[in-house]
Amino acid sequence: MSSSTSTSTLPSGLAVLTTFPDVLFIPEIIFGGLVWILVASSKVLVPMLQGWVMFVSVFCFVMSISLLCLYFCGAHGGGGSCWVTLDAICHSTAALFYLSAAVLEAYTTYSLGFSFSILLAQEYRENIAAVVFAFVATLLYVIHKVFSLLRWKSS
């Protein structure tokens, strides 16, 4: 393991973009934003299910941007144990939320497939893309969670 992955403190400044798992912030934000855009632009057939997906994508997007900005600014002051714990809790929560959102979006898309018509073709493709991007975001958050928990355990 390289020295950038074995550290038990949080990076600050541009080091955030060179350390693992913190470099995962960028793809998490990109794929989370894509889920947000696709769910927001599709026709809402099941408001409760897609409302949860929308909440999760917006919540995790804002959380990731906020943590990334705080790490860039060095607001954590070198990454005390409370910041490492906060990082682990945030990514564990995001991974759990995104897993539930991805499964619910997949269920909604699967249900939409039964009532597929030519009028719903665009919404169906948007929901399929949202499902794929939600599972990719879930995978990214799970990887980040695992390495954040390892960092927390070693701090």
Side-chain angles (χ1 to χ4, degrees):
M1 242 195 303
S2 69
S3 63
S4 64
T5 60
S6 63
T7 181
S8 64
T9 60
L10 296 170
S12 61
L14 291 178
V16 174
L17 300 177
T18 61
T19 58
F20 191 80
D22 302 307
V23 72
L24 292 175
F25 274 120
I26 303 302
E28 288 168 358
I29 291 167
I30 291 169
F31 285 105
L34 287 171
V35 171
W36 179 6
I37 291 166
L38 288 167
V39 171
S41 69
S42 68
K43 183 177 178 183
V44 177
L45 299 175
V46 185
M48 287 297 288
L49 297 181
Q50 286 189 307
W52 174 250
V53 176
M54 204 52 191
F55 168 76
V56 168
S57 61
V58 171
F59 173 78
C60 292
F61 185 85
V62 170
M63 180 204 63
S64 293
I65 293 265
S66 299
L67 283 175
L68 183 64
C69 289
L70 288 171
Y71 293 169
F72 267 141
C73 296
H76 53 76
S81 65
C82 64
W83 279 93
V84 174
T85 303
L86 175 71
D87 185 62
I89 289 171
C90 285
H91 285 94
S92 296
T93 303
L96 179 66
F97 278 11
Y98 248 112
L99 178 61
S100 67
V103 169
L104 287 174
E105 184 65 21
Y107 172 75
T108 303
T109 303
Y110 179 73
S111 299
L112 183 64
F114 287 122
S115 62
F116 187 80
S117 70
I118 204 69
L119 297 174
L120 296 174
Q122 182 64 27
E123 285 86 6
Y124 187 66
R125 286 192 296 269
E126 287 175 359
N127 284 341
I128 288 173
V131 168
V132 170
F133 291 142
F135 277 110
V136 170
T138 301
L139 179 64
L140 290 167
Y141 277 108
V142 167
I143 292 169
H144 201 149
K145 169 192 146 180
V146 167
F147 284 95
S148 291
L149 288 173
L150 290 173
R151 179 171 39 204
W152 171 72
K153 185 178 177 186
S154 68
S155 68

